[in-house]
Every structure is written in structure tokens, then in C-alpha cells.
Amino acid sequence: MPHVHTGAQPAVKVAVLGAGGGIGQTLSLLLKTGLAPASVAQQRRVHIALYDVNRDAVAGAATDLSHIDTPVSVSWHAPEPAGGADPLADPLQACLAGAQLVVIPAGVPRKPGMTRDDLFNINAQIVRTLADGIARHCDLARVFVLLISNPVNSLVPVLVETLTQRCRADAALAAQIPRRVFGLTQLDAVRASSFLHQALDCEPSETAVVPVVGGHSGNTILPLFSQARLEPARGSGAAAESRTESAAGAKTGSKIGAKISAKLGSSILNDTAGMMPTLDPGVRQRLVHRVQFGGDEVVRAKNGAGSATLSMAYAGAQVACKFAEMLLGARNEVRDTLYAKVSGHAAVDAITEHVGYFSVPLTITAAQGAAEADTRLLEQMDTYEREQLWPACLAELRESVDRGLEWAHARG
Ligand code: NAD
Ligand code: LMR
């Protein structure tokens, strides 16, 4: 078996599926360096298992990573080449066996002129194959799955439905699946933070925190600049943590208001509550558009060589590290904004008009999965967000969700 530096039985095993790709390699680097025991407060063993159908890419990445002197062990797994030594070996099984966290960046990225939806057919098939593997080889009552592959809006429903179909004989287990499977929309919050920081010309000591809800494509990405705030920069981990908090703050609102006044002259408007100053409509519209279509900027700049990889790996590692830390016992819960099946959360389900899947702040525990969803961000949207952005977000998201559900049900 092509293992590299496997070490003893790990306390936590993280599997990365698609680890040989642009996101997968960088994400694996950030896990190898970010999950060193010193950073998770407990001296427990962590193992990352890398899988890809591109054997050379994953073997190379894992071997390279294994030379980094952090106490996180690495293994790699790939299908045998034709005529290989052990044609019966199942590399996906070897990768997934015992994994408590599975991160999936496997799939095809966009080229200029393509939408994320254009990736649906090929990536849905890949996700379904990997879901079959997860259902066969992981403990579905314990594992968490984080999906990166696009289109996230449709593929999370494919993943949830496929896993649910695979354990439908056990209704209690099937009911747990939506609580443990999430799509990663964190890159949108990272972009919103970055773009607002640039627009306000903030100090390096400040972090702009912008909650983003909805989905991960165009109009479905709903950046809530009305609830943005500035916070002291406390390193990327802490910044990521604060992105998950809900509005929480007239105090920070007035601070960001002062900043906006100073940087953008008279472009301050006050909300009806008089507490949370808002950006000038033109400035805000440009920021919203840039966040919604930020992925296109990277696709255009790469000019056919793919889409965002480094920023996605950064965003993905923020979330994956928090899950791993929870599994290691270094934190009690994960509080994050994740794309999930929300029909089980009555309040979110009602507000989102039963769209089915939505990215909202969730509180997740190792035992229960997503136990709680926080609706405050949705309740506190301002008029522009509620009247201009919200209807388009829901309409487009509904189509994407339905596409994923129909595809999965047709193959169930
Ligand atoms: P990439 O082509 O560099 O890497 C994808 C990897 O997946 C490749 O190494 C490929 O061999 C592997 N792969 C393909 N089929 C596989 C299978 N069945 N099993 C295992 N591995 C398989 O692409 P990338 O730039 O890393 O992007 C990957 C995906 O992530 C794309 O779909 C992209 O659109 C998406 N993405 C999502 C976000 C987000 O915010 N959620 C951000 C950026 C990119
Ligand atoms: C992104 O937002 O960068 C990703 O979803 C990749 C893409 O296709 O834009």
C-alpha cells in the first residue's frame, strides 16, 4: 500500500478527496501545518489521507508534504495503474477507513466563458462515486463531510441525497446525514472581508468582518454589508471565527460607520434603527457585485488554467481545521456559516421559503452534528438586502437545489 509516514493509530483522520489538484494540494499543506498538535492544544495524533485519481499528482504531493517537520502523518491513495501489483486493492477504502472528516475538492474547475452549472454533469458523477465510497467505508453516524466541488448549490443536495439513499434501511441514521454534510461557502466571506478592507483602506491591525449567507454562485451569494463590522485583527483563525458571529453589534457598527465616514467622505446613510450605518448605495452595489462574481475575476486571470485554488484552500482550511480541532477535543463545537440542508431547522426553513438548502450560521457538535441554526442575520437584513438581493438569491438557489435533487432522485 502506497503509504508515506503513516505513524501509529491516529486519534483523528482527515481524508482529502481530490488531493492532487490545485485546491487539494494547498489545502493538504495547510492541514499538515495547521493541525500540528501544538496548535490544537492537545498532544493527539493527526493523520491526513490523500486520495486522487491522478496517481502521480497525489503521490508527489504526499511525499513532498511528508518532508515537512510537523507531527501530522500523511498517506496517499490512488487507483493502481493498469497491470498494477494489486488490482483488487481499493484505494478509496484505504483512504476513507476510519476517517472522521472528509474534505472533497475533487472535480473539474471552470474555464473562461463557463458557469459553475456547466460543471454539474461531470462533477455530480464524481461526487456520487465518492459518496458511494463514504457510505461504504465511513461510519456515517460519526463522519463529517465538507464539499468544495462546484456547483456547490446543486452538489450538496446530490451528496446528501446519495448518502441518505445508501442508508435508507436505517431511518435514524439517514436522518443524521443532513446534520453532518456541508458545502463550503467560506470563500465568499473571505472575499467580502478582503474587498471591504480594501475599499475602506483599513489598517493592517483591523479585520473587516462581513457575514455572507445563501449559496455559492452569482445572485445566490448574499453578502450582508449592513451587518459588517471592523474588529481588531487577531490572525486568520480568529478572523475566521468572527466571520461566523451574527450581527452582534451596534458598537462595532458605529466603529465601521466612523471608518466609512473617514474613508468615503459623506457616503454614510443611517439605517432606520439608527444604529448600524450603511455604505453608500453605489459603493455597496459594487462591493456586492464583486463578491458575487469574485470567482470570475480569478477564472479570467488564469485564462484557461482553472479557477481559484489558493484562496479556496485558505478558506477551506479555516473550516476544516475547526472541525478537526473539535474532533481532537480542542474545542467543544464549530460555529460557522455553512451550506446545508435546512429543512430540518424550522425557523430557517420558514424564512428561506422552503428552498431546502441554504448557507446560514450553524452550531455543530461532534455528537449531534448541526444542532442549531442562527436566523438573526436573516432577520436583520436591511431594506436593500431584503427587497433587492433576497428574491433573486432564493429564486436562483431554488433552481440549483432542484437540479441536484432531481439528478440524485433519478439515480436513487
Ligand atoms: P483541479 O483540476 O486542480 O483539481 C481537481 C482534482 O480532482 C484533480 O487532481 C483530479 O484528478 C481530481 N479528481 C477528479 N475526479 C476525481 C475522482 N473521481 N476522485 C478523486 N479525485 C478526482 O481543480 P481545483 O482547482 O482544485 O478545483 C476543484 C473543484 O473545486 C472545482 O469543481 C472547482 O470549481 C471547485 N471550487 C470550489 C470553490 C468553492 O468556493 N466551493 C472554490 C474554488 C473551486
Ligand atoms: C470561486 O468562487 O472562485 C469558485 O467557485 C470557483 C469558480 O468557478 O469561480
Side-chain angles (χ1 to χ4, degrees):
M1 188 159 302
H3 277 191
V4 179
H5 183 202
T6 49
Q9 187 63 20
V12 168
K13 180 175 177 183
V14 182
V16 181
L17 311 183
I23 296 168
Q25 292 205 23
T26 312
L27 176 64
S28 301
L29 168 66
L30 294 173
L31 296 176
K32 172 80 168 120
T33 51
L35 289 178
S39 69
V40 294
Q42 293 205 358
Q43 300 296 309
R44 298 183 65 191
R45 194 171 291 279
V46 182
H47 181 79
I48 51 176
L50 311 187
Y51 175 83
D52 202 293
V53 292
N54 183 337
R55 190 179 177 86
D56 293 343
V58 72
T63 307
D64 197 354
L65 289 173
S66 73
H67 292 190
I68 293 175
D69 62 351
T70 58
V72 173
S73 56
V74 184
S75 62
W76 66 270
H77 313 269
E80 293 272 349
D86 185 359
L88 294 180
D90 182 348
L92 190 54
Q93 174 176 18
C95 177
L96 289 172
Q100 296 108 309
L101 176 63
V102 180
V103 190
I104 310 181
V108 175
R110 282 199 287 164
K111 287 185 172 16
M114 293 172 80
T115 67
R116 292 180 185 83
D117 279 343
D118 293 333
L119 306 171
F120 177 79
N121 285 329
I122 183 159
N123 286 352
Q125 194 51 57
I126 291 172
V127 164
R128 186 161 183 264
T129 304
L130 297 175
D132 280 336
I134 293 167
R136 272 201 306 275
H137 307 307
C138 294
D139 177 354
L140 291 180
R142 287 181 68 213
V143 72
F144 286 102
V145 186
L146 304 178
L147 184 73
I148 293 174
S149 323
N150 270 319
V152 168
N153 291 356
S154 306
L155 293 186
V156 174
V158 167
L159 182 55
V160 168
E161 288 304 311
T162 308
L163 289 172
T164 306
Q165 287 161 3
R166 298 299 175 266
C167 61
R168 70 182 130 211
D170 182 343
L173 182 58
Q176 292 304 310
I177 302 291
R179 294 168 163 266
R180 310 190 78 88
V181 178
F182 308 104
L184 291 194
T185 54
Q186 179 84 349
L187 177 54
D188 304 313
V190 168
R191 283 185 176 133
S193 169
S194 180
F195 300 160
L196 184 59
H197 198 280
Q198 289 163 21
L200 299 181
D201 193 18
C202 291
E203 303 300 330
S205 58
E206 294 168 324
T207 299
V209 179
V210 186
V212 183
V213 296
H216 176 66
S217 187
N219 291 328
T220 72
I221 299 171
L222 188 38
L224 301 176
F225 282 101
S226 68
Q227 296 175 60
R229 57 192 194 276
L230 287 184
E231 291 193 344
R234 285 167 293 162
S236 57
E241 199 73 64
S242 64
R243 265 192 269 285
T244 70
E245 300 294 329
S246 122
K251 277 185 272 148
T252 49
S254 55
K255 192 170 172 212
I256 204 168
K259 186 67 133 185
I260 295 167
S261 293
K263 301 289 180 189
L264 301 175
S266 59
S267 58
I268 280 273
L269 300 175
N270 278 318
D271 216 357
T272 42
M275 303 293 279
M276 179 66 70
T278 53
L279 290 160
D280 167 86
V283 173
R284 172 145 53 142
Q285 270 175 28
R286 284 194 290 281
L287 280 169
V288 166
H289 185 272
R290 194 166 176 215
V291 174
Q292 292 185 327
F293 297 93
D296 297 5
E297 281 185 26
V298 184
V299 170
R300 274 196 304 273
K302 291 200 173 183
N303 196 23
S307 55
T309 53
L310 305 177
S311 52
M312 180 59 237
Y314 167 81
Q318 286 182 337
V319 178
C321 283
K322 280 194 248 172
F323 274 88
E325 288 165 11
M326 177 175 72
L327 295 166
L328 282 160
R331 63 165 69 229
N332 293 330
E333 62 192 21
V334 171
R335 289 163 72 208
D336 231 326
T337 300
L338 294 160
Y339 183 73
K341 184 170 182 177
V342 289
S343 11
H345 300 279
V348 185
D349 195 33
I351 294 173
T352 58
E353 299 169 30
H354 314 287
V355 69
Y357 286 76
F358 205 82
S359 189
V360 275
L362 297 169
T363 301
I364 296 148
T365 62
Q368 291 200 303
E372 227 182 278
D374 187 345
T375 55
R376 281 177 296 173
L377 289 172
L378 306 182
E379 286 152 7
Q380 292 171 14
M381 285 189 293
D382 71 2
T383 309
Y384 168 66
E385 291 159 352
R386 198 175 314 109
E387 292 185 358
Q388 304 286 313
L389 303 179
W390 181 252
C393 167
L394 276 194
E396 206 170 302
L397 192 51
R398 199 178 296 284
E399 274 183 27
S400 306
V401 170
D402 288 349
R403 184 176 189 188
L405 292 176
E406 277 163 27
W407 190 93
H409 293 160
R411 284 153 188 82

